Amino acid sequence: MAQPIKFGIVGCADIARKLSRAIKLSPNATIVAVGSRSEEKARRFIADNGLPATTRPYGSYESLLDDAEVDAVYLPLPTSLHLRWAVAAAGKGKHILIEKPTALCVADLDQILEACETNGVQFMDGTMWVHHPRTAEMEDFLRNSDRFGQLKMVSSIASVYADSNFLQNNIRVKADLDSLGALGDLGWYCIRAILWASDYNLPKTAVAFPNPIKNEAGLILSCGASLHWEDGTIATFHCSFLAHLTFELVVVGSRGIVSLSDFVIPFEENSAPFTVVSDSGFKELVTGWKSLPSKKVVSTELPQEALMITEFSRLVGEIKDSGAKPEKKWPVLSRKTQVVLDAVKESIEKEFKEVEIVG
């Protein structure tokens, strides 16, 4: 077997704990280094997360990037730091798995992607749910013209009810760290889901809903938007730090529907449900429905975050061991998501005017 891909964790954010576990579960990846702003914090992260005693702690991000044994880095840093450290990592020849949102704007992301292409390194963002086998099964239904038909509408909701400590202190509500707020943190999921449902065909325009809720610093706590395609297809989404935990996705075609209530994080780690229905209609005298929805449950041995690590590591391994080129699919999907996110943000800034989406 090929040697596992050796990861360095750049930053000790809470999400890095989940990804560290995912790397340990992955059959083709291992953690060899952790970098933080202090070596003590890196050592504590290694101990708290049960990483091997051989894992090297670094008291700066630069020191980790200088470690020649590190093949790839996971970057769970605040979004405002992505440009600097992703470009630096690519310059050191490190393959990059980066948290979402990928950047503050598409112009920043383009600089990151250019650095990755120049240095021949793989790029992937940390959108985990697309790697779950449920996603592939739903996609089979969506692409079946006899069962689903043509895409007509998509509705997506991603919300969490944040407590007062989060709303006052979390990096996601700090202008100097993550200025995109709920739009970047949760809206990213909604937009990616909508693009996935449309086979990643970009909408033509975005229109933000009026009256988004912002904090005193002007960061978005709750917002939504509609997206429009030239053929009349429409999508809507809502993202919020102020509403009950919700991850709803409904995809409506001319002949069928796919729906699920846990699209970002499945209710259970090793199984994930969704419902489908085709050619519904009413019974005689409209006393009920014909063709009722059926529930599908998709099992997986590895959680979706470990499957993401496994796929990323497979791509890195092919580059490292076989001289393959980086897979371009993942940077393309990240960029399309960022482009739409930017358009929604622009619509909010322009008092909810329609904004053309240019890929």
Side-chain angles (χ1 to χ4, degrees):
M1 291 182 62
Q3 291 295 311
I5 298 306
K6 298 173 181 177
F7 272 84
I9 307 295
V10 181
C12 299
D14 284 345
I15 188 64
R17 297 178 60 218
K18 182 173 184 175
L19 265 291
S20 294
R21 175 176 178 263
I23 294 170
K24 290 194 291 183
L25 290 172
S26 175
N28 59 349
T30 187
I31 299 172
V32 298
V34 173
S36 182
R37 288 171 293 177
S38 74
E39 186 174 322
E40 179 185 355
K41 188 173 181 181
R43 288 185 184 278
R44 187 164 62 248
F45 183 91
I46 291 168
D48 291 348
N49 291 280
L51 301 183
T54 55
T55 306
R56 294 181 290 281
Y58 289 109
S60 71
Y61 305 149
E62 294 98 335
S63 298
L64 185 145
L65 296 183
D66 285 335
D67 187 330
E69 191 178 1
V70 171
D71 298 314
V73 293
Y74 169 58
L75 297 174
L77 300 171
T79 310
S80 62
L81 300 179
H82 284 188
L83 174 59
R84 176 185 176 185
W85 291 109
V87 169
K92 295 288 186 176
K94 312 302 185 188
H95 303 275
I96 295 172
L97 178 62
I98 193 168
E99 262 310 318
K100 33 60 58 184
T102 54
L104 294 176
C105 61
V106 74
D108 285 1
L109 178 57
D110 283 343
Q111 291 185 60
I112 294 172
L113 298 183
E114 181 180 2
C116 290
E117 184 170 357
T118 298
N119 292 281
V121 299
Q122 183 65 51
F123 175 94
M124 182 185 286
D125 73 54
T127 307
M128 302 171 191
W129 68 266
V130 297
H131 299 274
H132 197 291
R134 171 176 65 178
T135 304
E137 289 208 22
M138 293 190 297
E139 191 167 333
D140 287 343
F141 181 85
L142 293 180
R143 307 299 174 241
N144 187 324
S145 59
D146 293 329
R147 299 186 67 195
F148 181 74
Q150 294 181 324
L151 178 66
K152 297 299 179 182
M153 295 175 286
V154 187
S155 174
S156 180
I157 303 172
S159 63
V160 296
Y161 187 70
D163 61 21
S164 58
N165 180 62
F166 179 102
L167 294 176
Q168 293 174 15
N169 301 310
N170 194 273
I171 64 169
R172 296 167 183 83
V173 295
K174 299 293 185 180
D176 59 335
L177 296 175
D178 264 304
S179 61
L180 297 173
L183 176 60
D185 187 50
L186 297 172
W188 178 276
Y189 291 124
C190 296
I191 292 168
R192 175 63 66 85
I194 290 166
L195 290 173
W196 166 79
S198 68
D199 201 18
Y200 295 101
N201 292 310
L202 283 174
K204 183 173 179 56
T205 58
V207 183
F209 297 149
N211 305 316
I213 300 174
K214 300 181 180 181
N215 65 9
E216 293 180 356
L219 268 72
I220 296 169
L221 301 180
S222 182
C223 72
S226 60
L227 308 174
H228 306 260
W229 284 258
E230 288 185 304
D231 65 357
T233 301
I234 187 170
T236 61
F237 77 85
H238 180 73
C239 56
S240 178
F241 291 145
L242 306 174
H244 188 271
L245 179 62
T246 307
F247 291 130
E248 293 280 344
L249 177 62
V250 180
V251 186
V252 182
S254 54
R255 297 193 62 179
I257 295 176
V258 176
S259 62
L260 61 161
S261 298
D262 60 347
F263 82 94
V264 175
I265 300 173
F267 293 134
E268 302 290 340
E269 186 170 66
N270 297 119
S271 66
F274 68 101
T275 60
V276 298
V277 65
S278 298
D279 298 327
S280 294
F282 293 121
K283 295 179 179 179
E284 188 176 357
L285 302 181
V286 197
T287 58
W289 287 51
K290 297 183 294 183
S291 298
L292 297 179
S294 60
K295 181 180 179 180
K296 314 287 185 182
V297 178
V298 181
S299 298
T300 177
E301 291 185 6
L302 290 175
Q304 59 186 15
E305 59 271 20
L307 293 172
M308 177 181 70
I309 294 294
T310 301
E311 173 61 10
F312 177 78
S313 298
R314 182 187 70 81
L315 295 173
V316 172
E318 290 181 352
I319 296 168
K320 182 181 177 183
D321 300 331
S322 305
K325 299 291 185 182
E327 172 58 66
K328 293 186 177 181
K329 167 187 173 181
W330 298 109
V332 167
L333 300 189
S334 298
R335 191 179 190 280
K336 286 186 175 185
T337 309
Q338 189 81 48
V339 164
V340 176
L341 192 151
D342 281 13
V344 173
K345 181 173 180 285
E346 183 180 349
S347 179
I348 292 172
E349 292 169 347
K350 292 183 174 179
E351 297 184 339
F352 325 112
K353 298 289 194 299
E354 182 180 79
V355 172
E356 184 176 359
I357 296 171
V358 180

mmCIF file of all heavy atoms in Angstrom, residues 4 10 41 61 71 77 85 88 121 184 191 238 248 268 274 285 290-291 300 311 318-319 325 329 355:
data_model
loop_
_atom_site.group_PDB
_atom_site.id
_atom_site.type_symbol
_atom_site.label_atom_id
_atom_site.label_comp_id
_atom_site.label_asym_id
_atom_site.label_seq_id
_atom_site.Cartn_x
_atom_site.Cartn_y
_atom_site.Cartn_z
ATOM 1 N N PRO A 4 0.521 6.690 3.786
ATOM 2 C CA PRO A 4 -0.559 7.655 4.025
ATOM 3 C C PRO A 4 -0.080 9.083 3.815
ATOM 4 O O PRO A 4 1.101 9.390 4.000
ATOM 5 C CB PRO A 4 -0.947 7.402 5.485
ATOM 6 C CG PRO A 4 0.258 6.757 6.099
ATOM 7 C CD PRO A 4 0.888 5.954 5.009
ATOM 8 N N VAL A 10 -3.107 23.503 10.632
ATOM 9 C CA VAL A 10 -2.675 24.891 10.803
ATOM 10 C C VAL A 10 -3.766 25.651 11.556
ATOM 11 O O VAL A 10 -4.720 26.157 10.969
ATOM 12 C CB VAL A 10 -2.377 25.554 9.441
ATOM 13 C CG1 VAL A 10 -1.901 26.997 9.645
ATOM 14 C CG2 VAL A 10 -1.325 24.755 8.675
ATOM 15 N N LYS A 41 -0.082 25.690 23.053
ATOM 16 C CA LYS A 41 -1.429 25.394 22.576
ATOM 17 C C LYS A 41 -1.407 24.218 21.601
ATOM 18 O O LYS A 41 -2.315 23.367 21.616
ATOM 19 C CB LYS A 41 -2.031 26.629 21.897
ATOM 20 C CG LYS A 41 -3.503 26.468 21.535
ATOM 21 C CD LYS A 41 -4.095 27.764 21.030
ATOM 22 C CE LYS A 41 -5.581 27.604 20.700
ATOM 23 N NZ LYS A 41 -6.168 28.869 20.187
ATOM 24 N N TYR A 61 2.666 29.185 12.447
ATOM 25 C CA TYR A 61 2.218 28.553 11.203
ATOM 26 C C TYR A 61 3.387 28.397 10.230
ATOM 27 O O TYR A 61 3.486 27.398 9.511
ATOM 28 C CB TYR A 61 1.107 29.368 10.564
ATOM 29 C CG TYR A 61 -0.086 29.629 11.462
ATOM 30 C CD1 TYR A 61 -0.846 30.791 11.330
ATOM 31 C CD2 TYR A 61 -0.456 28.716 12.455
ATOM 32 C CE1 TYR A 61 -1.938 31.039 12.144
ATOM 33 C CE2 TYR A 61 -1.551 28.956 13.275
ATOM 34 C CZ TYR A 61 -2.285 30.127 13.113
ATOM 35 O OH TYR A 61 -3.363 30.365 13.934
ATOM 36 N N ASP A 71 2.837 16.700 3.822
ATOM 37 C CA ASP A 71 2.363 16.668 2.437
ATOM 38 C C ASP A 71 1.241 17.679 2.203
ATOM 39 O O ASP A 71 1.166 18.310 1.141
ATOM 40 C CB ASP A 71 1.808 15.283 2.078
ATOM 41 C CG ASP A 71 2.842 14.183 2.171
ATOM 42 O OD1 ASP A 71 3.963 14.381 1.668
ATOM 43 O OD2 ASP A 71 2.518 13.121 2.745
ATOM 44 N N LEU A 77 -8.543 28.183 9.763
ATOM 45 C CA LEU A 77 -8.324 29.536 10.273
ATOM 46 C C LEU A 77 -9.524 30.431 9.973
ATOM 47 O O LEU A 77 -10.331 30.139 9.088
ATOM 48 C CB LEU A 77 -7.071 30.127 9.619
ATOM 49 C CG LEU A 77 -5.761 29.379 9.854
ATOM 50 C CD1 LEU A 77 -4.666 29.948 8.964
ATOM 51 C CD2 LEU A 77 -5.365 29.458 11.322
ATOM 52 N N TRP A 85 -2.401 32.523 4.332
ATOM 53 C CA TRP A 85 -1.807 31.244 4.695
ATOM 54 C C TRP A 85 -2.014 30.173 3.638
ATOM 55 O O TRP A 85 -1.179 29.263 3.512
ATOM 56 C CB TRP A 85 -2.311 30.816 6.063
ATOM 57 C CG TRP A 85 -1.758 31.724 7.123
ATOM 58 C CD1 TRP A 85 -2.430 32.650 7.855
ATOM 59 C CD2 TRP A 85 -0.379 31.829 7.501
ATOM 60 N NE1 TRP A 85 -1.579 33.326 8.679
ATOM 61 C CE2 TRP A 85 -0.304 32.842 8.494
ATOM 62 C CE3 TRP A 85 0.795 31.183 7.116
ATOM 63 C CZ2 TRP A 85 0.893 33.212 9.093
ATOM 64 C CZ3 TRP A 85 1.989 31.550 7.713
ATOM 65 C CH2 TRP A 85 2.026 32.541 8.687
ATOM 66 N N ALA A 88 0.696 30.967 1.155
ATOM 67 C CA ALA A 88 1.980 30.569 1.732
ATOM 68 C C ALA A 88 2.150 29.051 1.702
ATOM 69 O O ALA A 88 3.233 28.535 1.376
ATOM 70 C CB ALA A 88 2.088 31.079 3.172
ATOM 71 N N VAL A 121 -0.444 21.951 -6.624
ATOM 72 C CA VAL A 121 -0.996 21.316 -5.427
ATOM 73 C C VAL A 121 -2.517 21.221 -5.523
ATOM 74 O O VAL A 121 -3.180 22.041 -6.165
ATOM 75 C CB VAL A 121 -0.589 22.075 -4.144
ATOM 76 C CG1 VAL A 121 0.924 22.068 -3.995
ATOM 77 C CG2 VAL A 121 -1.129 23.489 -4.119
ATOM 78 N N GLY A 184 -21.507 33.682 5.162
ATOM 79 C CA GLY A 184 -20.346 32.865 4.846
ATOM 80 C C GLY A 184 -20.379 31.512 5.526
ATOM 81 O O GLY A 184 -20.072 30.487 4.918
ATOM 82 N N ILE A 191 -25.943 27.675 -0.641
ATOM 83 C CA ILE A 191 -25.578 27.970 -2.019
ATOM 84 C C ILE A 191 -24.964 26.747 -2.688
ATOM 85 O O ILE A 191 -25.299 26.423 -3.838
ATOM 86 C CB ILE A 191 -24.626 29.176 -2.075
ATOM 87 C CG1 ILE A 191 -25.363 30.451 -1.647
ATOM 88 C CG2 ILE A 191 -24.019 29.346 -3.468
ATOM 89 C CD1 ILE A 191 -24.459 31.634 -1.381
ATOM 90 N N HIS A 238 -32.258 30.565 3.073
ATOM 91 C CA HIS A 238 -32.241 31.371 4.295
ATOM 92 C C HIS A 238 -31.168 30.799 5.206
ATOM 93 O O HIS A 238 -31.069 29.575 5.380
ATOM 94 C CB HIS A 238 -33.594 31.330 5.001
ATOM 95 C CG HIS A 238 -33.630 32.141 6.261
ATOM 96 N ND1 HIS A 238 -33.656 33.516 6.255
ATOM 97 C CD2 HIS A 238 -33.626 31.771 7.569
ATOM 98 C CE1 HIS A 238 -33.675 33.963 7.504
ATOM 99 N NE2 HIS A 238 -33.662 32.930 8.309
ATOM 100 N N GLU A 248 -32.556 22.099 6.051
ATOM 101 C CA GLU A 248 -33.579 21.607 5.126
ATOM 102 C C GLU A 248 -33.154 21.846 3.681
ATOM 103 O O GLU A 248 -32.637 22.917 3.335
ATOM 104 C CB GLU A 248 -34.907 22.317 5.371
ATOM 105 C CG GLU A 248 -35.561 22.018 6.706
ATOM 106 C CD GLU A 248 -36.298 20.687 6.715
ATOM 107 O OE1 GLU A 248 -36.562 20.137 5.620
ATOM 108 O OE2 GLU A 248 -36.618 20.205 7.819
ATOM 109 N N GLU A 268 -27.647 10.918 12.066
ATOM 110 C CA GLU A 268 -26.809 9.852 12.596
ATOM 111 C C GLU A 268 -25.521 9.783 11.778
ATOM 112 O O GLU A 268 -25.531 9.983 10.566
ATOM 113 C CB GLU A 268 -27.532 8.502 12.539
ATOM 114 C CG GLU A 268 -28.855 8.462 13.289
ATOM 115 C CD GLU A 268 -28.681 8.522 14.794
ATOM 116 O OE1 GLU A 268 -27.566 8.216 15.271
ATOM 117 O OE2 GLU A 268 -29.651 8.861 15.496
ATOM 118 N N PHE A 274 -33.231 10.299 3.173
ATOM 119 C CA PHE A 274 -33.846 11.309 2.316
ATOM 120 C C PHE A 274 -35.126 10.718 1.754
ATOM 121 O O PHE A 274 -35.344 9.503 1.809
ATOM 122 C CB PHE A 274 -32.904 11.771 1.200
ATOM 123 C CG PHE A 274 -32.580 10.740 0.146
ATOM 124 C CD1 PHE A 274 -33.219 10.751 -1.091
ATOM 125 C CD2 PHE A 274 -31.615 9.771 0.379
ATOM 126 C CE1 PHE A 274 -32.906 9.813 -2.075
ATOM 127 C CE2 PHE A 274 -31.285 8.835 -0.601
ATOM 128 C CZ PHE A 274 -31.936 8.854 -1.832
ATOM 129 N N LEU A 285 -61.920 12.706 -6.135
ATOM 130 C CA LEU A 285 -62.566 13.696 -5.262
ATOM 131 C C LEU A 285 -61.561 14.422 -4.366
ATOM 132 O O LEU A 285 -61.944 15.060 -3.389
ATOM 133 C CB LEU A 285 -63.656 13.051 -4.398
ATOM 134 C CG LEU A 285 -64.790 12.338 -5.151
ATOM 135 C CD1 LEU A 285 -65.814 11.771 -4.178
ATOM 136 C CD2 LEU A 285 -65.473 13.302 -6.129
ATOM 137 N N LYS A 290 -52.000 10.278 -4.268
ATOM 138 C CA LYS A 290 -51.445 9.060 -4.850
ATOM 139 C C LYS A 290 -49.939 9.225 -4.969
ATOM 140 O O LYS A 290 -49.446 10.343 -5.046
ATOM 141 C CB LYS A 290 -52.054 8.798 -6.236
ATOM 142 C CG LYS A 290 -53.547 8.543 -6.238
ATOM 143 C CD LYS A 290 -54.056 8.224 -7.640
ATOM 144 C CE LYS A 290 -53.915 9.418 -8.574
ATOM 145 N NZ LYS A 290 -54.485 9.134 -9.919
ATOM 146 N N SER A 291 -49.208 8.126 -4.991
ATOM 147 C CA SER A 291 -47.750 8.138 -5.080
ATOM 148 C C SER A 291 -47.152 8.919 -3.911
ATOM 149 O O SER A 291 -46.664 10.041 -4.052
ATOM 150 C CB SER A 291 -47.277 8.747 -6.411
ATOM 151 O OG SER A 291 -47.722 7.981 -7.500
ATOM 152 N N THR A 300 -23.133 4.246 5.780
ATOM 153 C CA THR A 300 -21.722 4.462 5.469
ATOM 154 C C THR A 300 -20.873 3.995 6.634
ATOM 155 O O THR A 300 -21.224 4.232 7.797
ATOM 156 C CB THR A 300 -21.432 5.937 5.155
ATOM 157 O OG1 THR A 300 -20.035 6.112 4.925
ATOM 158 C CG2 THR A 300 -21.865 6.860 6.278
ATOM 159 N N GLU A 311 -10.907 10.991 0.159
ATOM 160 C CA GLU A 311 -10.880 11.400 -1.247
ATOM 161 C C GLU A 311 -9.775 12.418 -1.507
ATOM 162 O O GLU A 311 -9.037 12.317 -2.494
ATOM 163 C CB GLU A 311 -12.235 11.980 -1.645
ATOM 164 C CG GLU A 311 -12.299 12.590 -3.038
ATOM 165 C CD GLU A 311 -12.002 11.616 -4.167
ATOM 166 O OE1 GLU A 311 -11.926 10.388 -3.921
ATOM 167 O OE2 GLU A 311 -11.835 12.088 -5.321
ATOM 168 N N GLU A 318 -2.113 10.433 -5.678
ATOM 169 C CA GLU A 318 -1.904 10.254 -7.118
ATOM 170 C C GLU A 318 -0.932 11.296 -7.667
ATOM 171 O O GLU A 318 -0.125 11.007 -8.547
ATOM 172 C CB GLU A 318 -3.238 10.327 -7.854
ATOM 173 C CG GLU A 318 -4.133 9.123 -7.583
ATOM 174 C CD GLU A 318 -5.443 9.187 -8.340
ATOM 175 O OE1 GLU A 318 -5.727 10.240 -8.973
ATOM 176 O OE2 GLU A 318 -6.197 8.192 -8.308
ATOM 177 N N ILE A 319 -1.001 12.491 -7.120
ATOM 178 C CA ILE A 319 -0.049 13.530 -7.534
ATOM 179 C C ILE A 319 1.352 13.176 -7.049
ATOM 180 O O ILE A 319 2.330 13.244 -7.802
ATOM 181 C CB ILE A 319 -0.484 14.900 -6.967
ATOM 182 C CG1 ILE A 319 -1.832 15.322 -7.555
ATOM 183 C CG2 ILE A 319 0.578 15.967 -7.255
ATOM 184 C CD1 ILE A 319 -2.470 16.497 -6.838
ATOM 185 N N LYS A 325 -1.987 15.149 -12.301
ATOM 186 C CA LYS A 325 -2.290 16.567 -12.148
ATOM 187 C C LYS A 325 -3.362 16.741 -11.076
ATOM 188 O O LYS A 325 -4.204 15.860 -10.872
ATOM 189 C CB LYS A 325 -2.788 17.155 -13.471
ATOM 190 C CG LYS A 325 -1.779 17.070 -14.604
ATOM 191 C CD LYS A 325 -0.601 17.983 -14.363
ATOM 192 C CE LYS A 325 0.351 17.987 -15.553
ATOM 193 N NZ LYS A 325 1.542 18.841 -15.302
ATOM 194 N N LYS A 329 -11.887 19.691 -10.519
ATOM 195 C CA LYS A 329 -13.301 19.762 -10.134
ATOM 196 C C LYS A 329 -13.497 20.570 -8.863
ATOM 197 O O LYS A 329 -14.383 21.435 -8.786
ATOM 198 C CB LYS A 329 -13.834 18.342 -9.927
ATOM 199 C CG LYS A 329 -15.175 18.263 -9.223
ATOM 200 C CD LYS A 329 -15.538 16.818 -8.908
ATOM 201 C CE LYS A 329 -16.793 16.735 -8.047
ATOM 202 N NZ LYS A 329 -17.147 15.338 -7.709
ATOM 203 N N VAL A 355 -28.564 41.488 -8.782
ATOM 204 C CA VAL A 355 -27.148 41.503 -9.153
ATOM 205 C C VAL A 355 -26.894 40.377 -10.146
ATOM 206 O O VAL A 355 -27.273 39.226 -9.909
ATOM 207 C CB VAL A 355 -26.242 41.313 -7.918
ATOM 208 C CG1 VAL A 355 -24.786 41.124 -8.326
ATOM 209 C CG2 VAL A 355 -26.372 42.527 -6.985
#
